[in-house]
Amino acid sequence: MTDFLWLIIALPLAGAVLLHFLGRFVGEPLSGWLASLASTSAFVFALVAAWPFIQGGEHSTTVLLWEWMPAIGANLELLWDPLAALMVLVVTGVGSLIHFFAIGYMHGDDRFDRFFTSLNLFMASMLTLVLAGNYAMLFLGWELVGLSSYLLIGFWFTRPSAAAAAKKAFVVNRIGDFGFMIALMLVFASFGTLSYAGIFERADEVLGVGMATAIGLLMLVGAAGKSAQVPLYVWLPDAMEGPTPVSALIHAATMVTAGVYLIARSSAIFEIAPIASTTVATVGAITALWAATIALAQRDIKKVLAYSTISQLGYMFLAVGAGAYVAGVFHLMTHAFFKALLFLGAGSVIHAMSDEQDMHKMGGLLKKMPTTAITMGVGTLAIAGIPPLAGFWSKDEILGSVFARGGWFSALWIVGLVTALITAFYMARQWVLVFLGEPRWSQDTSPHEAPRVMTIPLIILAGLSVVGGLLNTPFALRLERFLEPSFEYVTLQNPPEGLAMFAVLAGLSVMASLVGGGFGYVSYNRPKQRWLDFEDGFEPLWGTWEQAYRVDDLYGAAIVAPGKKAAEVAAFGVDLAIIDGAVNGVGSAVRRLGELARSLQTGYVRNYGVLFLGGALVIVIWLVVGR
Amino acid sequence: MLTALILLPVAAAVVMMVVPARRQELHLPLGIALSVLPLALAGYVFWIFEPAPGFQLVELVSWYEPWGINWFLGIDGISLPMVVLTTFLVPIALAASTSIKTKTKEFVVYILLLEAGMIGVFLALDLFLFFVFFEAILIPMYFIIGIWGGERRVYAAVKFFIYTALGSALMLGGIIALAVSYSSQFGSPSFAFGDLASVDLSPGSERWLFASFALAFAIKVPLFPFHTWLPDAHVEAPTAGSVLLAGVLLKLGTYGLLRFNLALFPEASVEAVPIMGTLAVVGIIYGAVVAIVQPDLKKLVAYTSVSHLGFIVLGTFALTSGGLQGAVIQNVNHGLTTGALFLLVGMIYERRHTKKIEDFGGLQKVMPIYAGFFLFMIFASIGLPGLNGFVGEFLILIGSYTTLPALTVVAAGGVILAAIYLLWAYERVFTGVPDKEENKALSDLSAREISLLAPIVALVLVLGLFPGILLDKISPSTEAVLDYIEDQTAYVVPEPGRLADVYLAGEDR
């Protein structure tokens, strides 16, 4: 079976290549169905290949495809282990549902086939990332998902804001990559290879604490770029310029979790670098709270979800930083379900409202689009952490494990708990603003339920958001047993033992969710003027949140503007005036000689001969006299 | 065989001269057809080339006995990729020259003579012969820029000529000095590469000689601060000139540093590692920063060369397997991607007669195929993994860290800047709604133009995913260079981790 693992990447890649060249002729909707078929068959294939792991007792394998850069131990090779298998299943499973949804969502777009070309390219790239057997190939996937993200954020390229957002996403990610690349230099300098097989086994004997910490922190820089953590998260909200299925697939469910995956995959290195791990957890906790407060005050339905995604990714960082790798990956999975659901639901709403995204102009949509409303409601409860839905189990496992670490982590635990409360609040706010209350949309929009190709994926994702958490409960740690072989070099952090402890901790976080969610529901389930007054009551905080703490302005003033100024000085001050000025100063004298020579027709050769003979003479004289 | 490789373009040029000047419609097609012959022969040489150290297909004919000058040719894993690249780019450069309307015959002749010179430089194993080719190249290039160039063509041509000729004048002095020392030490004159490498030099004179060669090559590369001739030459040169200038001529510098400086002056090379590394990294960052704000698309691409070639020099002087392999393969990669970018700029210039970024906007809407090719080449140039640029850049960065950690970290910053200058340019030229009248009716690429770019695209992908095709032939020669330096000096190539263990473990899997 593993001999054919490459098919998991090749199927969507073939879809992308096929649609790239023939998409124009295939057209709508067939190109969408073809892309979905490619993605779905990758899922089915992955499920078959993963079956031995699910049954237990199967060893992980490495499959060499071909040599790439053997001098640095970087070949194209696949690692098939439980962690990779889980990631592949999430990516292809959720990805396929989003493909189907997009067939309905992108209906009528004149670049329909192009959209699915890029979507399939993304799938192939993301699968390369998670199946890679070494860091160089992981980096290959890492950059290719960046490319797909660039193409899809800027899909509506005639909108200047979309084009700018695409560029911003790529550039900010490159800042992260800078750290990642230095990490890889250190890894290569330490191990002489970039292959997982040559690294993790020997990590504790090769790496000192200092080196491991450096590598860990630099990987965190890369991970923070890709997974939109403080301070590199600023590209993700802008990335909402892309079509909504893209936001669901790339900027919520899959690509942005690559940073979490990177840290989980490198657990053997982080295990010997407690400072790096603690930093990961701290960055995660700060991001979780920071983004949650911004999400509170957003009016754009997608911006709420974007900041929510950043915040939830923060939870995952908190988990893997605390050594609770399984909890982090678990939350990665449940989040993929409910956040894809929420984004697709938002897409359904936007679709129905003729591209309106401002929640102030929504309201009362429950009756118009019940399927979307109910499934989004399920997603809202799941992310808020209401038991027994998926988000409850995964978030609770994270918070419990962090609590169990004690010390500094106790502070992070409180941050996580507060974030849970805020999360429940802003999600309740969103659901109520969109679906309840009096309709605030204009007369000429006529909201309607989405077609079935869009609602069926919503229903499936809602189902997964309900039961997905049962994969790993304190009563049956199925996922933990499944993933354990991938974390053989680390001691996994778990929540405190015992049912009583579980009841107390779970009780606390459920309480936080109920308080936050209830408060949000009550505050917004009333006439518009009332909740506007409510929001005004929080000024100036509310405005600060709404403007996302004006971080973009800060970066613009502190980095972008001075950077551009410096580039101008370098180009027109230094280069043109000083360096080229000096050259021309010398040159003008020589040019006079050249002009003289030009009048002699064949003079160039002579002039030239004089020049090099002169130079030669200088050297010879120096050699003779100088000794 | 190798002599034939040099003489084929010369013969082709002679054939061209026989064609009447007024039969203009024949010149370009015939030139393209003729230039395919050297490509075919180079392909054959590539095919029969054994992946082994040392020079192959060596030819030695005495030329001027009293001074020990020989027609001495040979090819190894360092020169092979350059020869193939040269013969590959010439037909494309010619085929891209349909907008040349005056003196077309002379144009083709100059390009073919240029090709002969470039091939000669890479094959010459006699330093005198090398120098003759090295200088001979300047003459056709001077005329290509000076006759068929843009408005300030004469200024640019003279600047190019004088600047590079000055540098090489010093190198000639160095070559003569070396030959003189050889003849005084061994009693017989010689300019042969291997012979001159065996000359015993005092540390002082080795340093000076190193500097005389390094300066000539640094101007060619160009290394900061000797780079200002390049943007002018590129902006004024016709498309074919720019393609060959960026694709091949600049590589004479990086090739020369690797082939001659390292082998002739190993001791001085090891000493110069920090200096050359610093200049390279300054160039990487400086070229990139300056590129960001260039208002002219062609000038922007020209400055990216300053940045990209810095990587090659860094890899060369890192003196590690990864660094050297990366440097050699990056010579090829840069030739392909930058050559293609110049082709692309030329295509839009032929339509709009401007290269100013601000004159465009929204082109993706009117020319989607053109935009697609441009974006592809941008990502190749940025070093997107899976495409060729990444292989060289990554090998260089990973390989250089072990000898030059701090500089390599700074160099990696160039990776961020590359994304900024290229994607910002793309944003301004291609995205948004086309708002200028002149841009609204532009025609997309023709089949002819697509057929120029397609082979480059194919190679970019093939080399990105299967670099082994080249690396297998390159690595024995680069390893030989490292062995030689270790043998001649106290330098020891740092061995990261324990490679051997990993390879063994790999075989067990």
Coordinates of all heavy atoms in Angstrom, one line a residue, chain B residues 52-102:
Chain B
A52 N 32.5 12.4 -13.5 CA 33.7 12.0 -12.8 C 34.5 13.3 -12.7 O 34.3 14.3 -13.4 CB 34.5 11.0 -13.7
P53 N 35.5 13.4 -11.7 CA 36.3 14.6 -11.6 C 37.3 14.7 -12.8 O 37.5 13.7 -13.5 CB 37.0 14.4 -10.3 CG 37.0 12.9 -10.1 CD 35.8 12.4 -10.7
G54 N 37.8 15.8 -12.9 CA 38.8 16.0 -14.0 C 38.2 16.5 -15.3 O 37.0 16.4 -15.5
F55 N 39.1 16.9 -16.2 CA 38.6 17.4 -17.5 C 38.5 16.3 -18.5 O 39.2 15.3 -18.5 CB 39.6 18.5 -18.0 CG 39.6 19.7 -17.2 CD1 40.5 19.9 -16.2 CD2 38.6 20.7 -17.4 CE1 40.5 21.1 -15.5 CE2 38.6 21.8 -16.7 CZ 39.5 22.0 -15.7
Q56 N 37.4 16.4 -19.3 CA 37.2 15.4 -20.3 C 37.2 16.0 -21.7 O 37.2 17.2 -21.8 CB 35.8 14.8 -20.0 CG 35.7 14.2 -18.6 CD 34.3 13.6 -18.3 OE1 33.6 13.1 -19.2 NE2 34.0 13.5 -17.1
L57 N 37.3 15.1 -22.7 CA 37.3 15.6 -24.1 C 38.5 16.6 -24.3 O 38.3 17.5 -25.1 CB 36.0 16.2 -24.5 CG 34.8 15.3 -24.3 CD1 33.5 16.1 -24.5 CD2 34.8 14.1 -25.2
V58 N 39.6 16.4 -23.6 CA 40.6 17.4 -23.7 C 41.3 17.4 -25.1 O 41.5 16.4 -25.7 CB 41.7 17.0 -22.6 CG1 42.9 18.0 -22.8 CG2 41.1 17.1 -21.3
E59 N 41.5 18.6 -25.6 CA 42.2 18.8 -26.9 C 43.4 19.8 -26.6 O 43.2 20.8 -26.0 CB 41.2 19.4 -27.9 CG 40.1 18.5 -28.3 CD 39.1 19.1 -29.2 OE1 39.5 20.1 -29.8 OE2 38.0 18.7 -29.2
L60 N 44.5 19.4 -27.2 CA 45.7 20.2 -27.0 C 46.5 20.3 -28.3 O 46.9 19.4 -28.8 CB 46.6 19.6 -25.9 CG 47.9 20.3 -25.6 CD1 47.6 21.6 -24.9 CD2 48.8 19.4 -24.7
V61 N 46.6 21.6 -28.8 CA 47.3 21.8 -30.0 C 48.2 23.0 -29.7 O 47.7 24.0 -29.1 CB 46.4 22.2 -31.2 CG1 47.3 22.5 -32.4 CG2 45.4 21.1 -31.5
S62 N 49.5 22.9 -30.0 CA 50.4 24.0 -29.8 C 50.0 25.2 -30.6 O 49.7 25.1 -31.8 CB 51.8 23.6 -30.0 OG 52.7 24.7 -29.8
W63 N 50.1 26.4 -30.1 CA 49.7 27.6 -30.8 C 50.9 28.5 -31.0 O 51.2 28.8 -32.1 CB 48.5 28.3 -30.0 CG 47.9 29.4 -30.7 CD1 48.0 29.7 -32.0 CD2 47.0 30.4 -30.2 NE1 47.3 30.8 -32.3 CE2 46.6 31.2 -31.2 CE3 46.5 30.6 -28.9 CZ2 45.8 32.3 -31.0 CZ3 45.6 31.6 -28.7 CH2 45.3 32.5 -29.8
Y64 N 51.5 28.9 -29.9 CA 52.7 29.7 -30.1 C 53.7 29.1 -29.1 O 53.8 29.5 -27.9 CB 52.4 31.2 -29.7 CG 53.5 32.1 -30.1 CD1 54.0 32.3 -31.4 CD2 54.2 32.8 -29.0 CE1 55.0 33.1 -31.7 CE2 55.2 33.6 -29.3 CZ 55.6 33.8 -30.6 OH 56.7 34.6 -30.9
E65 N 54.6 28.3 -29.7 CA 55.5 27.5 -28.9 C 56.4 28.3 -28.0 O 56.5 28.0 -26.8 CB 56.4 26.7 -29.9 CG 57.3 25.6 -29.3 CD 56.5 24.3 -29.1 OE1 55.9 23.8 -30.1 OE2 56.6 23.8 -28.0
P66 N 57.1 29.4 -28.5 CA 58.0 30.1 -27.7 C 57.5 30.6 -26.4 O 58.2 30.7 -25.4 CB 58.4 31.3 -28.6 CG 58.1 30.9 -30.0 CD 57.0 29.9 -29.9
W67 N 56.2 30.9 -26.3 CA 55.6 31.4 -25.1 C 54.8 30.3 -24.4 O 54.2 30.6 -23.3 CB 54.7 32.6 -25.3 CG 55.4 33.8 -25.7 CD1 56.8 33.9 -25.9 CD2 54.9 35.1 -25.9 NE1 57.1 35.2 -26.2 CE2 56.0 36.0 -26.2 CE3 53.6 35.7 -25.8 CZ2 55.8 37.3 -26.5 CZ3 53.4 37.0 -26.1 CH2 54.5 37.8 -26.4
G68 N 54.8 29.1 -25.0 CA 54.1 28.0 -24.3 C 52.6 28.2 -24.4 O 51.9 27.7 -23.5
I69 N 52.1 28.9 -25.4 CA 50.6 29.1 -25.5 C 50.0 28.0 -26.4 O 50.6 27.6 -27.4 CB 50.3 30.4 -26.2 CG1 50.9 31.6 -25.3 CG2 48.8 30.6 -26.4 CD1 50.8 32.9 -25.9
N70 N 49.0 27.4 -25.9 CA 48.3 26.2 -26.6 C 46.9 26.5 -26.8 O 46.2 27.2 -26.0 CB 48.5 25.0 -25.7 CG 49.9 24.6 -25.6 OD1 50.7 24.5 -26.5 ND2 50.4 24.4 -24.3
W71 N 46.4 25.8 -27.8 CA 44.9 25.7 -28.0 C 44.5 24.5 -27.1 O 44.6 23.4 -27.5 CB 44.6 25.5 -29.5 CG 43.1 25.3 -29.8 CD1 42.5 24.1 -29.9 CD2 42.2 26.3 -30.0 NE1 41.2 24.3 -30.2 CE2 40.9 25.6 -30.3 CE3 42.2 27.7 -30.1 CZ2 39.8 26.3 -30.6 CZ3 41.0 28.4 -30.3 CH2 39.8 27.7 -30.6
F72 N 44.1 24.8 -25.9 CA 44.0 23.8 -24.9 C 42.6 23.8 -24.4 O 42.2 24.8 -23.7 CB 45.0 24.0 -23.8 CG 45.1 23.0 -22.7 CD1 44.5 21.7 -22.9 CD2 45.9 23.2 -21.6 CE1 44.7 20.7 -21.9 CE2 46.0 22.2 -20.6 CZ 45.4 21.0 -20.8
L73 N 41.8 22.8 -24.7 CA 40.4 22.8 -24.3 C 40.0 21.6 -23.4 O 40.7 20.5 -23.6 CB 39.4 22.8 -25.5 CG 39.6 23.9 -26.5 CD1 38.7 23.7 -27.7 CD2 39.4 25.3 -25.9
G74 N 39.1 21.7 -22.6 CA 38.6 20.6 -21.8 C 37.3 21.0 -21.1 O 37.0 22.2 -21.0
I75 N 36.6 20.0 -20.7 CA 35.3 20.3 -20.0 C 35.2 19.5 -18.8 O 35.6 18.3 -18.7 CB 34.1 20.1 -21.0 CG1 32.8 20.7 -20.5 CG2 33.9 18.6 -21.3 CD1 31.8 20.8 -21.7
D76 N 34.6 20.1 -17.7 CA 34.3 19.3 -16.5 C 32.9 19.7 -16.0 O 32.2 20.5 -16.7 CB 35.4 19.6 -15.5 CG 35.4 21.0 -14.8 OD1 34.6 21.8 -15.4 OD2 36.0 21.2 -13.8
G77 N 32.6 19.2 -14.8 CA 31.3 19.5 -14.3 C 31.0 20.9 -14.0 O 29.8 21.2 -13.8
I78 N 32.0 21.8 -13.9 CA 31.7 23.2 -13.7 C 31.4 23.9 -14.9 O 30.6 24.8 -15.0 CB 32.9 23.8 -12.9 CG1 33.1 23.1 -11.5 CG2 32.8 25.3 -12.7 CD1 34.4 23.3 -10.8
S79 N 32.2 23.6 -16.0 CA 31.9 24.3 -17.3 C 30.8 23.7 -18.1 O 30.1 24.4 -18.8 CB 33.2 24.3 -18.1 OG 33.8 23.0 -18.2
L80 N 30.6 22.4 -18.0 CA 29.6 21.7 -18.8 C 28.2 22.4 -18.7 O 27.6 22.7 -19.7 CB 29.4 20.2 -18.3 CG 28.3 19.4 -19.0 CD1 28.7 19.1 -20.5 CD2 28.1 18.1 -18.3
P81 N 27.7 22.7 -17.5 CA 26.3 23.3 -17.4 C 26.3 24.7 -18.1 O 25.3 25.0 -18.7 CB 26.1 23.5 -15.9 CG 27.0 22.6 -15.3 CD 28.2 22.4 -16.1
M82 N 27.4 25.4 -18.0 CA 27.5 26.7 -18.6 C 27.5 26.7 -20.1 O 26.9 27.5 -20.8 CB 28.7 27.5 -18.2 CG 28.8 27.8 -16.7 SD 27.2 28.5 -16.1 CE 27.1 29.9 -17.2
V83 N 28.2 25.7 -20.7 CA 28.2 25.5 -22.1 C 26.8 25.2 -22.7 O 26.3 25.8 -23.6 CB 29.2 24.4 -22.5 CG1 29.1 24.1 -24.0 CG2 30.6 24.9 -22.2
V84 N 26.2 24.3 -22.0 CA 24.8 23.9 -22.4 C 23.9 25.1 -22.3 O 23.1 25.3 -23.2 CB 24.3 22.7 -21.6 CG1 22.9 22.3 -22.0 CG2 25.2 21.5 -21.8
L85 N 24.0 25.8 -21.2 CA 23.1 27.0 -21.0 C 23.3 28.0 -22.1 O 22.4 28.5 -22.7 CB 23.4 27.6 -19.7 CG 22.7 28.9 -19.4 CD1 21.2 28.7 -19.1 CD2 23.3 29.7 -18.2
T86 N 24.6 28.2 -22.5 CA 24.9 29.2 -23.5 C 24.2 28.8 -24.9 O 23.5 29.6 -25.5 CB 26.4 29.3 -23.7 OG1 27.0 29.6 -22.5 CG2 26.8 30.4 -24.7
T87 N 24.5 27.5 -25.2 CA 23.9 27.1 -26.5 C 22.4 27.1 -26.5 O 21.7 27.2 -27.5 CB 24.5 25.7 -26.9 OG1 24.2 24.8 -25.9 CG2 26.0 25.8 -27.2
F88 N 21.8 26.9 -25.3 CA 20.4 26.8 -25.2 C 19.8 28.2 -25.3 O 18.7 28.4 -25.9 CB 20.0 26.2 -23.8 CG 18.6 26.3 -23.5 CD1 17.7 25.3 -24.0 CD2 18.1 27.2 -22.6 CE1 16.3 25.4 -23.7 CE2 16.7 27.2 -22.3 CZ 15.9 26.3 -22.8
L89 N 20.5 29.2 -24.7 CA 19.9 30.6 -24.7 C 20.0 31.3 -26.1 O 19.2 32.2 -26.4 CB 20.5 31.4 -23.6 CG 20.1 31.1 -22.2 CD1 20.8 32.0 -21.2 CD2 18.6 31.3 -22.0
V90 N 21.1 31.0 -26.8 CA 21.3 31.7 -28.1 C 20.2 31.6 -29.1 O 19.7 32.6 -29.6 CB 22.7 31.3 -28.7 CG1 22.8 31.9 -30.1 CG2 23.8 31.9 -27.9
P91 N 19.7 30.4 -29.4 CA 18.5 30.3 -30.3 C 17.3 31.1 -29.8 O 16.6 31.8 -30.6 CB 18.2 28.8 -30.4 CG 19.4 28.1 -29.9 CD 20.1 29.1 -29.0
I92 N 17.1 31.0 -28.5 CA 16.0 31.7 -27.9 C 16.1 33.2 -28.0 O 15.2 34.0 -28.4 CB 15.8 31.3 -26.5 CG1 15.3 29.9 -26.4 CG2 14.7 32.2 -25.8 CD1 15.1 29.3 -25.0
A93 N 17.4 33.7 -27.7 CA 17.6 35.1 -27.8 C 17.5 35.6 -29.3 O 16.9 36.7 -29.5 CB 19.1 35.4 -27.4
L94 N 17.9 34.8 -30.2 CA 17.7 35.2 -31.6 C 16.2 35.2 -32.0 O 15.8 36.2 -32.6 CB 18.5 34.2 -32.5 CG 20.0 34.4 -32.7 CD1 20.6 33.3 -33.5 CD2 20.2 35.8 -33.4
A95 N 15.5 34.2 -31.6 CA 14.1 34.1 -31.9 C 13.3 35.3 -31.3 O 12.2 35.6 -31.7 CB 13.6 32.8 -31.5
A96 N 13.9 35.8 -30.2 CA 13.2 36.9 -29.6 C 13.5 38.3 -30.2 O 13.1 39.3 -29.7 CB 13.6 37.0 -28.1
S97 N 14.2 38.3 -31.3 CA 14.7 39.5 -31.9 C 14.0 40.0 -33.1 O 14.6 40.7 -33.9 CB 16.2 39.4 -32.2 OG 16.9 39.1 -31.0
T98 N 12.7 39.6 -33.2 CA 12.0 40.0 -34.5 C 11.8 41.5 -34.6 O 11.5 42.0 -35.6 CB 10.6 39.3 -34.5 OG1 10.0 39.5 -33.2 CG2 10.7 37.8 -34.8
S99 N 12.0 42.2 -33.5 CA 11.8 43.6 -33.6 C 13.0 44.3 -34.1 O 13.0 45.5 -34.3 CB 11.4 44.2 -32.2 OG 12.4 44.0 -31.3
I100 N 14.1 43.6 -34.2 CA 15.3 44.2 -34.8 C 15.1 44.4 -36.3 O 14.9 43.4 -37.0 CB 16.5 43.3 -34.6 CG1 16.8 43.1 -33.1 CG2 17.8 43.9 -35.3 CD1 17.5 44.1 -32.4
K101 N 15.1 45.6 -36.8 CA 14.7 45.8 -38.2 C 15.9 46.3 -39.0 O 15.9 46.4 -40.3 CB 13.6 46.8 -38.3 CG 12.3 46.4 -37.7 CD 11.7 45.2 -38.4 CE 10.4 44.8 -37.7 NZ 10.0 43.4 -37.9
T102 N 17.0 46.8 -38.4 CA 18.1 47.4 -39.1 C 19.3 46.5 -39.0 O 19.5 45.9 -37.9 CB 18.5 48.8 -38.6 OG1 18.7 48.7 -37.2 CG2 17.4 49.8 -38.8

